Amino acid sequence: MSSQGGPGGRGLGTAVRDRIRERIESGAWRPGHRLPAEPHLASLLGVSRATLREALKVLADDGWITRTPGAGTYVTHRPRLKNNLDVNFGVSELIESMGMRVGTQGLRVYDGPAGASEAARLAIPPESRVFVIERIRTADYEPVVFSRDVIPASIVGEGAQALDSLGQGTLYRMLEEEFGVVVNQGLAEIKPVKADRWTASQLRVPTGTMLLYLLQVDYDDTGRAVLLSHEHHVADAFEITVVRRGPGRNT
Amino acid sequence: MSSQGGPGGRGLGTAVRDRIRERIESGAWRPGHRLPAEPHLASLLGVSRATLREALKVLADDGWITRTPGAGTYVTHRPRLKNNLDVNFGVSELIESMGMRVGTQGLRVYDGPAGASEAARLAIPPESRVFVIERIRTADYEPVVFSRDVIPASIVGEGAQALDSLGQGTLYRMLEEEFGVVVNQGLAEIKPVKADRWTASQLRVPTGTMLLYLLQVDYDDTGRAVLLSHEHHVADAFEITVVRRGPGRNT
DNA sequence: CCTTACGTTTTGTCAGACAAAGCGCCTCCG
DNA sequence: CGGAGGCGCTTTGTCTGACAAAACGTAAGG
């Protein structure tokens, strides 16, 4: 299925892109810093200039670098954020990136037929068998997210007992390591809601507390829906940001 | 500053990328459809294969297409959404894309010194002169967003009287056409809030109504902060979505 | 009828070359 | 001595051609 799943990712250009971005994120190349010229950088990275340029094109398109003919390639002068909805995937990484201890309470795993709405979003036949994972995520032992994850049985097959070991685990890592499913993209719908009685009691907050509700469907690289997540975030616990692409490049 | 500002965007590869994406968005190439082979498609678009591949690389990276060696390039089988936080920029386009009439109420434009917090986010000296635009955006004559836009005087110079004509205009288009400022990227912070007395009266909703608050800073292609926006969205008016990149490509 | 081997098609990567656009340095002139 | 203009170098943008790797369809053989 997946071509190689090697070190960096799928494809040399993607690996080069990640390597360059890591240098920027780590601070080795600070904003305003000028990158080596393309031929030089290509030989440094051990790839051809065409491959390097594919990586640079994506980075420039994402706003990491700015390229001007005759002048050079510079790291864009723009603040970088953690806790970014675009890149941070999963609640565990979100909490860990804030330097807090991540934990799980009230884990509940069961299977059954999918409801009509959830089946439609997962693009599976109604009444198909799905596995459901409900749990409360804690940051420094404080409940911050109540989540309900729905996975089609066709994804996890019969090796579903591994789901029981999600005590503190990352669901995405388990999907990748146990079932060979690599989540490539997710489509999240964001809505502010007030905590109802049940959710409030789970999160140990007063009824009516402000929550951020994320309804998300994740897809693998073939476009197959592999995971549906309902996440109720305690509003004050996180600072959620999104990078938006400007109209200058998106019609 | 900007190199050519031609038809599609800045650069041939970017223009090619937009042309392909338009075909997908318009439905000419539906999910699962196979694109012509690269040499053929390159000649169809009138560019070289290297340029075409830069465009395809970005599209594949953004999840629009899936490429497999030996097989071909296919349009990814994944639902496309309008009202996407990533691509839809500005409230006007958001409302128009939903097929509703966009309008403005209570426009108020004034200038003065920037506050400490706003100056810091715009990366300008404290007390710098800024222009402030406050207005209520309506969809089908119903208030849906109350926004406060802050623009440094250094951006708009002395031609600021143009700001008064924002009756139904798009601020981004005005920035581009009047002042030559192309917004490339924006960083938005999302938070659910309850409407306070003042905001509620502006939006004609009861105090305590659920709102989605977006605090956004926009940057041009050089990384200069050009616009700070506070937006209070009526929660039930929109369906806000975000495309998230999977851990499989971001680590 | 199933399995296997082959060839074709298609994407992935590389190398080299030329054009266009900034930037810095030098020279020339006042 | 100071400023302005021109020249050349550097760097990105684009094109051309080529070969390798991978996947699919087809045909031959058991």
Side-chain angles (χ1 to χ4, degrees):
Chain A
M1 190 63 60
S2 59
S3 31
Q4 59 241 43
R10 296 168 309 290
L12 188 53
T14 304
V16 170
R17 167 177 68 78
D18 287 337
R19 279 210 278 164
I20 296 175
R21 204 191 42 210
E22 277 171 19
R23 294 208 193 185
I24 298 177
E25 282 182 328
S26 71
W29 288 340
R30 306 195 157 277
H33 179 269
R34 173 174 162 182
L35 271 62
E38 289 182 1
H40 187 199
L41 185 55
S43 72
L44 277 179
L45 296 172
V47 297
S48 74
R49 196 160 87 96
T51 302
L52 171 65
R53 279 184 59 79
E54 281 190 354
L56 292 179
K57 170 76 175 160
V58 174
L59 288 172
D61 212 74
D62 285 357
W64 290 92
I65 57 178
T66 303
R67 298 197 282 177
T68 37
T73 304
Y74 295 85
V75 178
T76 303
H77 216 103
R78 202 199 65 185
R80 302 290 163 193
L81 292 188
K82 300 189 179 289
N83 315 340
N84 187 335
L85 258 197
D86 291 345
V87 301
N88 264 345
F89 233 73
V91 179
S92 306
E93 294 179 12
L94 189 62
I95 294 173
E96 282 171 356
S97 72
M98 298 176 72
M100 307 175 91
R101 279 197 59 86
V102 55
T104 298
Q105 288 181 1
L107 175 64
R108 194 166 154 241
V109 182
Y110 58 92
D111 64 314
S117 156
E118 290 182 337
R121 289 190 182 269
L122 285 169
I124 56 176
E127 308 286 324
S128 301
R129 185 147 160 266
V130 294
F131 287 89
V132 180
I133 303 163
E134 292 181 355
R135 48 184 177 162
I136 298 138
R137 315 307 303 272
T138 60
D140 282 349
Y141 313 104
E142 201 72 28
V144 288
V145 175
F146 172 70
S147 66
R148 169 190 166 92
D149 298 307
V150 183
I151 308 179
S154 55
I155 301 293
V156 296
E158 294 305 325
Q161 70 275 7
L163 296 176
D164 292 329
S165 61
L166 270 177
Q168 57 170 334
T170 306
L171 181 53
Y172 293 106
R173 190 172 307 160
M174 167 170 296
L175 280 175
E176 191 166 340
E177 293 176 355
E178 297 286 333
F179 309 109
V181 174
V182 177
V183 171
N184 235 358
Q185 287 212 333
L187 234 56
E189 183 183 327
I190 302 177
K191 204 191 303 187
V193 297
K194 288 176 181 167
D196 57 31
R197 239 202 182 80
W198 162 251
T199 310
S201 73
Q202 296 287 311
L203 289 170
R204 285 196 267 136
V205 295
T207 306
T209 300
M210 199 89 56
L211 302 178
L212 203 60
Y213 169 64
L214 265 77
L215 175 58
Q216 177 164 337
V217 182
D218 292 319
Y219 302 87
D220 68 1
D221 56 357
T222 68
R224 182 180 54 163
V226 296
L227 173 62
L228 171 70
S229 302
H230 309 261
E231 294 181 0
H232 290 266
H233 293 243
V234 176
D236 298 332
F238 299 110
E239 189 170 285
I240 292 185
T241 58
V242 180
V243 176
R244 310 182 69 179
R245 299 194 170 181
R249 60 158 54 96
N250 273 310
T251 305
Chain B
M1 190 63 59
S2 60
S3 33
Q4 57 241 44
R10 295 168 310 292
L12 188 53
T14 304
V16 170
R17 167 176 69 78
D18 287 337
R19 279 209 277 165
I20 297 175
R21 203 191 44 212
E22 278 170 18
R23 295 206 192 186
I24 298 177
E25 281 181 327
S26 71
W29 288 340
R30 307 196 157 278
H33 180 268
R34 173 173 163 185
L35 271 62
E38 289 182 1
H40 187 198
L41 184 55
S43 72
L44 277 180
L45 297 172
V47 296
S48 73
R49 195 161 89 97
T51 302
L52 170 66
R53 278 185 59 79
E54 280 191 356
L56 292 179
K57 170 74 176 165
V58 174
L59 288 172
D61 211 74
D62 284 356
W64 290 91
I65 57 177
T66 303
R67 299 197 281 178
T68 37
T73 304
Y74 295 84
V75 178
T76 302
H77 215 102
R78 201 197 65 186
R80 301 292 163 191
L81 293 187
K82 299 191 179 289
N83 316 341
N84 187 333
L85 258 197
D86 292 344
V87 301
N88 263 344
F89 232 74
V91 179
S92 304
E93 294 178 11
L94 189 61
I95 295 173
E96 281 171 356
S97 72
M98 298 176 72
M100 307 176 91
R101 278 196 59 86
V102 55
T104 298
Q105 288 180 2
L107 175 64
R108 193 166 155 242
V109 182
Y110 59 93
D111 64 314
S117 157
E118 290 182 336
R121 289 189 182 268
L122 285 169
I124 56 177
E127 308 287 323
S128 300
R129 186 147 160 266
V130 293
F131 288 89
V132 179
I133 302 163
E134 291 182 356
R135 50 185 176 159
I136 298 139
R137 315 307 303 274
T138 59
D140 281 351
Y141 313 104
E142 202 72 28
V144 288
V145 174
F146 172 69
S147 66
R148 169 190 166 92
D149 298 308
V150 182
I151 308 179
S154 56
I155 301 293
V156 297
E158 293 306 324
Q161 70 274 7
L163 296 176
D164 293 328
S165 62
L166 271 177
Q168 57 171 333
T170 307
L171 182 53
Y172 294 105
R173 190 172 307 159
M174 169 170 294
L175 279 175
E176 192 167 338
E177 293 176 355
E178 297 286 334
F179 309 110
V181 174
V182 177
V183 172
N184 236 357
Q185 286 213 333
L187 233 59
E189 184 183 327
I190 302 177
K191 204 192 303 186
V193 297
K194 289 176 182 168
D196 57 31
R197 240 202 180 79
W198 161 252
T199 310
S201 73
Q202 296 287 310
L203 289 170
R204 285 198 266 135
V205 295
T207 306
T209 300
M210 199 94 53
L211 301 178
L212 204 58
Y213 169 64
L214 266 77
L215 175 58
Q216 178 163 338
V217 183
D218 292 320
Y219 302 87
D220 68 2
D221 55 359
T222 68
R224 183 181 52 165
V226 296
L227 173 61
L228 171 69
S229 302
H230 308 262
E231 294 181 1
H232 289 266
H233 294 243
V234 176
D236 298 333
F238 299 111
E239 189 170 285
I240 291 185
T241 58
V242 180
V243 176
R244 309 183 70 179
R245 298 194 172 183
R249 63 157 51 97
N250 271 307
T251 305

mmCIF file with all atom_site columns, all heavy atoms in Angstrom, chain A residues 209-226:
data_model
loop_
_atom_site.group_PDB
_atom_site.id
_atom_site.type_symbol
_atom_site.label_atom_id
_atom_site.label_alt_id
_atom_site.label_comp_id
_atom_site.label_asym_id
_atom_site.label_entity_id
_atom_site.label_seq_id
_atom_site.pdbx_PDB_ins_code
_atom_site.Cartn_x
_atom_site.Cartn_y
_atom_site.Cartn_z
_atom_site.occupancy
_atom_site.B_iso_or_equiv
_atom_site.pdbx_formal_charge
_atom_site.auth_seq_id
_atom_site.auth_comp_id
_atom_site.auth_asym_id
_atom_site.auth_atom_id
_atom_site.pdbx_PDB_model_num
ATOM 1   N N   . THR A 1 209 ? -20.917 25.772 30.808 1.00 0.00 ? 209 THR A N   1
ATOM 2   C CA  . THR A 1 209 ? -19.572 26.286 30.562 1.00 0.00 ? 209 THR A CA  1
ATOM 3   C C   . THR A 1 209 ? -19.289 26.314 29.060 1.00 0.00 ? 209 THR A C   1
ATOM 4   O O   . THR A 1 209 ? -19.774 25.480 28.301 1.00 0.00 ? 209 THR A O   1
ATOM 5   C CB  . THR A 1 209 ? -18.537 25.397 31.280 1.00 0.00 ? 209 THR A CB  1
ATOM 6   O OG1 . THR A 1 209 ? -18.798 25.398 32.668 1.00 0.00 ? 209 THR A OG1 1
ATOM 7   C CG2 . THR A 1 209 ? -17.126 25.900 31.024 1.00 0.00 ? 209 THR A CG2 1
ATOM 8   N N   . MET A 1 210 ? -18.485 27.280 28.668 1.00 0.00 ? 210 MET A N   1
ATOM 9   C CA  . MET A 1 210 ? -18.153 27.446 27.258 1.00 0.00 ? 210 MET A CA  1
ATOM 10  C C   . MET A 1 210 ? -17.201 26.357 26.795 1.00 0.00 ? 210 MET A C   1
ATOM 11  O O   . MET A 1 210 ? -16.141 26.151 27.370 1.00 0.00 ? 210 MET A O   1
ATOM 12  C CB  . MET A 1 210 ? -17.494 28.794 27.068 1.00 0.00 ? 210 MET A CB  1
ATOM 13  C CG  . MET A 1 210 ? -17.515 29.266 25.683 1.00 0.00 ? 210 MET A CG  1
ATOM 14  S SD  . MET A 1 210 ? -18.997 30.186 25.384 1.00 0.00 ? 210 MET A SD  1
ATOM 15  C CE  . MET A 1 210 ? -18.827 31.395 26.661 1.00 0.00 ? 210 MET A CE  1
ATOM 16  N N   . LEU A 1 211 ? -17.594 25.662 25.729 1.00 0.00 ? 211 LEU A N   1
ATOM 17  C CA  . LEU A 1 211 ? -16.738 24.623 25.159 1.00 0.00 ? 211 LEU A CA  1
ATOM 18  C C   . LEU A 1 211 ? -16.524 24.891 23.675 1.00 0.00 ? 211 LEU A C   1
ATOM 19  O O   . LEU A 1 211 ? -17.347 25.520 23.019 1.00 0.00 ? 211 LEU A O   1
ATOM 20  C CB  . LEU A 1 211 ? -17.375 23.244 25.330 1.00 0.00 ? 211 LEU A CB  1
ATOM 21  C CG  . LEU A 1 211 ? -17.710 22.780 26.738 1.00 0.00 ? 211 LEU A CG  1
ATOM 22  C CD1 . LEU A 1 211 ? -18.370 21.406 26.697 1.00 0.00 ? 211 LEU A CD1 1
ATOM 23  C CD2 . LEU A 1 211 ? -16.461 22.742 27.596 1.00 0.00 ? 211 LEU A CD2 1
ATOM 24  N N   . LEU A 1 212 ? -15.403 24.392 23.173 1.00 0.00 ? 212 LEU A N   1
ATOM 25  C CA  . LEU A 1 212 ? -15.166 24.424 21.738 1.00 0.00 ? 212 LEU A CA  1
ATOM 26  C C   . LEU A 1 212 ? -15.334 23.000 21.220 1.00 0.00 ? 212 LEU A C   1
ATOM 27  O O   . LEU A 1 212 ? -14.619 22.087 21.645 1.00 0.00 ? 212 LEU A O   1
ATOM 28  C CB  . LEU A 1 212 ? -13.759 24.958 21.438 1.00 0.00 ? 212 LEU A CB  1
ATOM 29  C CG  . LEU A 1 212 ? -13.559 25.543 20.045 1.00 0.00 ? 212 LEU A CG  1
ATOM 30  C CD1 . LEU A 1 212 ? -14.507 26.709 19.835 1.00 0.00 ? 212 LEU A CD1 1
ATOM 31  C CD2 . LEU A 1 212 ? -12.132 26.025 19.866 1.00 0.00 ? 212 LEU A CD2 1
ATOM 32  N N   . TYR A 1 213 ? -16.290 22.832 20.318 1.00 0.00 ? 213 TYR A N   1
ATOM 33  C CA  . TYR A 1 213 ? -16.601 21.499 19.811 1.00 0.00 ? 213 TYR A CA  1
ATOM 34  C C   . TYR A 1 213 ? -15.965 21.313 18.442 1.00 0.00 ? 213 TYR A C   1
ATOM 35  O O   . TYR A 1 213 ? -16.171 22.126 17.547 1.00 0.00 ? 213 TYR A O   1
ATOM 36  C CB  . TYR A 1 213 ? -18.120 21.326 19.729 1.00 0.00 ? 213 TYR A CB  1
ATOM 37  C CG  . TYR A 1 213 ? -18.566 20.091 18.980 1.00 0.00 ? 213 TYR A CG  1
ATOM 38  C CD1 . TYR A 1 213 ? -18.264 18.826 19.456 1.00 0.00 ? 213 TYR A CD1 1
ATOM 39  C CD2 . TYR A 1 213 ? -19.301 20.198 17.810 1.00 0.00 ? 213 TYR A CD2 1
ATOM 40  C CE1 . TYR A 1 213 ? -18.676 17.701 18.773 1.00 0.00 ? 213 TYR A CE1 1
ATOM 41  C CE2 . TYR A 1 213 ? -19.721 19.077 17.122 1.00 0.00 ? 213 TYR A CE2 1
ATOM 42  C CZ  . TYR A 1 213 ? -19.403 17.829 17.610 1.00 0.00 ? 213 TYR A CZ  1
ATOM 43  O OH  . TYR A 1 213 ? -19.822 16.719 16.922 1.00 0.00 ? 213 TYR A OH  1
ATOM 44  N N   . LEU A 1 214 ? -15.171 20.259 18.314 1.00 0.00 ? 214 LEU A N   1
ATOM 45  C CA  . LEU A 1 214 ? -14.539 19.934 17.034 1.00 0.00 ? 214 LEU A CA  1
ATOM 46  C C   . LEU A 1 214 ? -15.079 18.605 16.535 1.00 0.00 ? 214 LEU A C   1
ATOM 47  O O   . LEU A 1 214 ? -14.909 17.576 17.195 1.00 0.00 ? 214 LEU A O   1
ATOM 48  C CB  . LEU A 1 214 ? -13.014 19.831 17.180 1.00 0.00 ? 214 LEU A CB  1
ATOM 49  C CG  . LEU A 1 214 ? -12.185 21.069 16.862 1.00 0.00 ? 214 LEU A CG  1
ATOM 50  C CD1 . LEU A 1 214 ? -12.274 22.054 18.017 1.00 0.00 ? 214 LEU A CD1 1
ATOM 51  C CD2 . LEU A 1 214 ? -10.750 20.696 16.590 1.00 0.00 ? 214 LEU A CD2 1
ATOM 52  N N   . LEU A 1 215 ? -15.703 18.640 15.372 1.00 0.00 ? 215 LEU A N   1
ATOM 53  C CA  . LEU A 1 215 ? -16.141 17.412 14.703 1.00 0.00 ? 215 LEU A CA  1
ATOM 54  C C   . LEU A 1 215 ? -15.210 17.179 13.531 1.00 0.00 ? 215 LEU A C   1
ATOM 55  O O   . LEU A 1 215 ? -15.182 17.949 12.581 1.00 0.00 ? 215 LEU A O   1
ATOM 56  C CB  . LEU A 1 215 ? -17.585 17.555 14.217 1.00 0.00 ? 215 LEU A CB  1
ATOM 57  C CG  . LEU A 1 215 ? -18.123 16.380 13.394 1.00 0.00 ? 215 LEU A CG  1
ATOM 58  C CD1 . LEU A 1 215 ? -18.042 15.093 14.188 1.00 0.00 ? 215 LEU A CD1 1
ATOM 59  C CD2 . LEU A 1 215 ? -19.545 16.648 12.954 1.00 0.00 ? 215 LEU A CD2 1
ATOM 60  N N   . GLN A 1 216 ? -14.439 16.114 13.631 1.00 0.00 ? 216 GLN A N   1
ATOM 61  C CA  . GLN A 1 216 ? -13.342 15.950 12.680 1.00 0.00 ? 216 GLN A CA  1
ATOM 62  C C   . GLN A 1 216 ? -13.380 14.585 12.019 1.00 0.00 ? 216 GLN A C   1
ATOM 63  O O   . GLN A 1 216 ? -13.625 13.567 12.670 1.00 0.00 ? 216 GLN A O   1
ATOM 64  C CB  . GLN A 1 216 ? -11.999 16.137 13.406 1.00 0.00 ? 216 GLN A CB  1
ATOM 65  C CG  . GLN A 1 216 ? -10.793 15.924 12.530 1.00 0.00 ? 216 GLN A CG  1
ATOM 66  C CD  . GLN A 1 216 ? -9.531  16.484 13.155 1.00 0.00 ? 216 GLN A CD  1
ATOM 67  O OE1 . GLN A 1 216 ? -9.604  17.370 13.987 1.00 0.00 ? 216 GLN A OE1 1
ATOM 68  N NE2 . GLN A 1 216 ? -8.388  15.973 12.753 1.00 0.00 ? 216 GLN A NE2 1
ATOM 69  N N   . VAL A 1 217 ? -13.126 14.564 10.711 1.00 0.00 ? 217 VAL A N   1
ATOM 70  C CA  . VAL A 1 217 ? -12.990 13.322 9.960  1.00 0.00 ? 217 VAL A CA  1
ATOM 71  C C   . VAL A 1 217 ? -11.571 13.278 9.397  1.00 0.00 ? 217 VAL A C   1
ATOM 72  O O   . VAL A 1 217 ? -11.124 14.227 8.755  1.00 0.00 ? 217 VAL A O   1
ATOM 73  C CB  . VAL A 1 217 ? -14.017 13.227 8.810  1.00 0.00 ? 217 VAL A CB  1
ATOM 74  C CG1 . VAL A 1 217 ? -13.877 11.899 8.093  1.00 0.00 ? 217 VAL A CG1 1
ATOM 75  C CG2 . VAL A 1 217 ? -15.429 13.388 9.350  1.00 0.00 ? 217 VAL A CG2 1
ATOM 76  N N   . ASP A 1 218 ? -10.870 12.174 9.662  1.00 0.00 ? 218 ASP A N   1
ATOM 77  C CA  . ASP A 1 218 ? -9.492  12.026 9.205  1.00 0.00 ? 218 ASP A CA  1
ATOM 78  C C   . ASP A 1 218 ? -9.435  11.055 8.036  1.00 0.00 ? 218 ASP A C   1
ATOM 79  O O   . ASP A 1 218 ? -10.168 10.060 7.995  1.00 0.00 ? 218 ASP A O   1
ATOM 80  C CB  . ASP A 1 218 ? -8.606  11.517 10.350 1.00 0.00 ? 218 ASP A CB  1
ATOM 81  C CG  . ASP A 1 218 ? -8.459  12.560 11.434 1.00 0.00 ? 218 ASP A CG  1
ATOM 82  O OD1 . ASP A 1 218 ? -8.302  13.740 11.087 1.00 0.00 ? 218 ASP A OD1 1
ATOM 83  O OD2 . ASP A 1 218 ? -8.503  12.199 12.619 1.00 0.00 ? 218 ASP A OD2 1
ATOM 84  N N   . TYR A 1 219 ? -8.519  11.347 7.105  1.00 0.00 ? 219 TYR A N   1
ATOM 85  C CA  . TYR A 1 219 ? -8.384  10.545 5.888  1.00 0.00 ? 219 TYR A CA  1
ATOM 86  C C   . TYR A 1 219 ? -6.946  10.078 5.738  1.00 0.00 ? 219 TYR A C   1
ATOM 87  O O   . TYR A 1 219 ? -6.013  10.762 6.142  1.00 0.00 ? 219 TYR A O   1
ATOM 88  C CB  . TYR A 1 219 ? -8.777  11.375 4.668  1.00 0.00 ? 219 TYR A CB  1
ATOM 89  C CG  . TYR A 1 219 ? -10.182 11.926 4.721  1.00 0.00 ? 219 TYR A CG  1
ATOM 90  C CD1 . TYR A 1 219 ? -10.445 13.139 5.344  1.00 0.00 ? 219 TYR A CD1 1
ATOM 91  C CD2 . TYR A 1 219 ? -11.237 11.239 4.150  1.00 0.00 ? 219 TYR A CD2 1
ATOM 92  C CE1 . TYR A 1 219 ? -11.732 13.658 5.397  1.00 0.00 ? 219 TYR A CE1 1
ATOM 93  C CE2 . TYR A 1 219 ? -12.519 11.738 4.190  1.00 0.00 ? 219 TYR A CE2 1
ATOM 94  C CZ  . TYR A 1 219 ? -12.765 12.951 4.816  1.00 0.00 ? 219 TYR A CZ  1
ATOM 95  O OH  . TYR A 1 219 ? -14.029 13.444 4.867  1.00 0.00 ? 219 TYR A OH  1
ATOM 96  N N   . ASP A 1 220 ? -6.774  8.911  5.128  1.00 0.00 ? 220 ASP A N   1
ATOM 97  C CA  . ASP A 1 220 ? -5.418  8.456  4.805  1.00 0.00 ? 220 ASP A CA  1
ATOM 98  C C   . ASP A 1 220 ? -5.039  8.978  3.429  1.00 0.00 ? 220 ASP A C   1
ATOM 99  O O   . ASP A 1 220 ? -5.786  9.750  2.817  1.00 0.00 ? 220 ASP A O   1
ATOM 100 C CB  . ASP A 1 220 ? -5.326  6.932  4.895  1.00 0.00 ? 220 ASP A CB  1
ATOM 101 C CG  . ASP A 1 220 ? -6.129  6.246  3.795  1.00 0.00 ? 220 ASP A CG  1
ATOM 102 O OD1 . ASP A 1 220 ? -6.737  6.942  2.970  1.00 0.00 ? 220 ASP A OD1 1
ATOM 103 O OD2 . ASP A 1 220 ? -6.163  5.011  3.776  1.00 0.00 ? 220 ASP A OD2 1
ATOM 104 N N   . ASP A 1 221 ? -3.883  8.544  2.948  1.00 0.00 ? 221 ASP A N   1
ATOM 105 C CA  . ASP A 1 221 ? -3.376  9.159  1.722  1.00 0.00 ? 221 ASP A CA  1
ATOM 106 C C   . ASP A 1 221 ? -4.158  8.752  0.485  1.00 0.00 ? 221 ASP A C   1
ATOM 107 O O   . ASP A 1 221 ? -3.970  9.336  -0.578 1.00 0.00 ? 221 ASP A O   1
ATOM 108 C CB  . ASP A 1 221 ? -1.880  8.842  1.550  1.00 0.00 ? 221 ASP A CB  1
ATOM 109 C CG  . ASP A 1 221 ? -1.637  7.339  1.553  1.00 0.00 ? 221 ASP A CG  1
ATOM 110 O OD1 . ASP A 1 221 ? -2.608  6.588  1.735  1.00 0.00 ? 221 ASP A OD1 1
ATOM 111 O OD2 . ASP A 1 221 ? -0.487  6.926  1.381  1.00 0.00 ? 221 ASP A OD2 1
ATOM 112 N N   . THR A 1 222 ? -5.027  7.767  0.598  1.00 0.00 ? 222 THR A N   1
ATOM 113 C CA  . THR A 1 222 ? -5.859  7.425  -0.542 1.00 0.00 ? 222 THR A CA  1
ATOM 114 C C   . THR A 1 222 ? -7.209  8.128  -0.495 1.00 0.00 ? 222 THR A C   1
ATOM 115 O O   . THR A 1 222 ? -8.023  7.956  -1.385 1.00 0.00 ? 222 THR A O   1
ATOM 116 C CB  . THR A 1 222 ? -6.098  5.902  -0.600 1.00 0.00 ? 222 THR A CB  1
ATOM 117 O OG1 . THR A 1 222 ? -6.914  5.522  0.521  1.00 0.00 ? 222 THR A OG1 1
ATOM 118 C CG2 . THR A 1 222 ? -4.789  5.156  -0.530 1.00 0.00 ? 222 THR A CG2 1
ATOM 119 N N   . GLY A 1 223 ? -7.419  8.914  0.547  1.00 0.00 ? 223 GLY A N   1
ATOM 120 C CA  . GLY A 1 223 ? -8.676  9.626  0.675  1.00 0.00 ? 223 GLY A CA  1
ATOM 121 C C   . GLY A 1 223 ? -9.745  8.830  1.402  1.00 0.00 ? 223 GLY A C   1
ATOM 122 O O   . GLY A 1 223 ? -10.895 9.255  1.473  1.00 0.00 ? 223 GLY A O   1
ATOM 123 N N   . ARG A 1 224 ? -9.380  7.699  1.959  1.00 0.00 ? 224 ARG A N   1
ATOM 124 C CA  . ARG A 1 224 ? -10.341 6.884  2.685  1.00 0.00 ? 224 ARG A CA  1
ATOM 125 C C   . ARG A 1 224 ? -10.533 7.436  4.095  1.00 0.00 ? 224 ARG A C   1
ATOM 126 O O   . ARG A 1 224 ? -9.561  7.742  4.790  1.00 0.00 ? 224 ARG A O   1
ATOM 127 C CB  . ARG A 1 224 ? -9.833  5.450  2.753  1.00 0.00 ? 224 ARG A CB  1
ATOM 128 C CG  . ARG A 1 224 ? -10.765 4.487  3.452  1.00 0.00 ? 224 ARG A CG  1
ATOM 129 C CD  . ARG A 1 224 ? -10.161 3.094  3.471  1.00 0.00 ? 224 ARG A CD  1
ATOM 130 N NE  . ARG A 1 224 ? -8.809  3.082  4.049  1.00 0.00 ? 224 ARG A NE  1
ATOM 131 C CZ  . ARG A 1 224 ? -8.193  1.976  4.475  1.00 0.00 ? 224 ARG A CZ  1
ATOM 132 N NH1 . ARG A 1 224 ? -8.807  0.814  4.350  1.00 0.00 ? 224 ARG A NH1 1
ATOM 133 N NH2 . ARG A 1 224 ? -6.989  2.036  4.965  1.00 0.00 ? 224 ARG A NH2 1
ATOM 134 N N   . ALA A 1 225 ? -11.774 7.599  4.521  1.00 0.00 ? 225 ALA A N   1
ATOM 135 C CA  . ALA A 1 225 ? -12.053 8.089  5.867  1.00 0.00 ? 225 ALA A CA  1
ATOM 136 C C   . ALA A 1 225 ? -11.734 6.988  6.870  1.00 0.00 ? 225 ALA A C   1
ATOM 137 O O   . ALA A 1 225 ? -12.217 5.861  6.751  1.00 0.00 ? 225 ALA A O   1
ATOM 138 C CB  . ALA A 1 225 ? -13.517 8.501  5.992  1.00 0.00 ? 225 ALA A CB  1
ATOM 139 N N   . VAL A 1 226 ? -10.906 7.296  7.847  1.00 0.00 ? 226 VAL A N   1
ATOM 140 C CA  . VAL A 1 226 ? -10.458 6.269  8.779  1.00 0.00 ? 226 VAL A CA  1
ATOM 141 C C   . VAL A 1 226 ? -10.850 6.568  10.215 1.00 0.00 ? 226 VAL A C   1
ATOM 142 O O   . VAL A 1 226 ? -10.772 5.695  11.068 1.00 0.00 ? 226 VAL A O   1
ATOM 143 C CB  . VAL A 1 226 ? -8.923  6.095  8.702  1.00 0.00 ? 226 VAL A CB  1
ATOM 144 C CG1 . VAL A 1 226 ? -8.521  5.593  7.326  1.00 0.00 ? 226 VAL A CG1 1
ATOM 145 C CG2 . VAL A 1 226 ? -8.208  7.397  9.013  1.00 0.00 ? 226 VAL A CG2 1
#
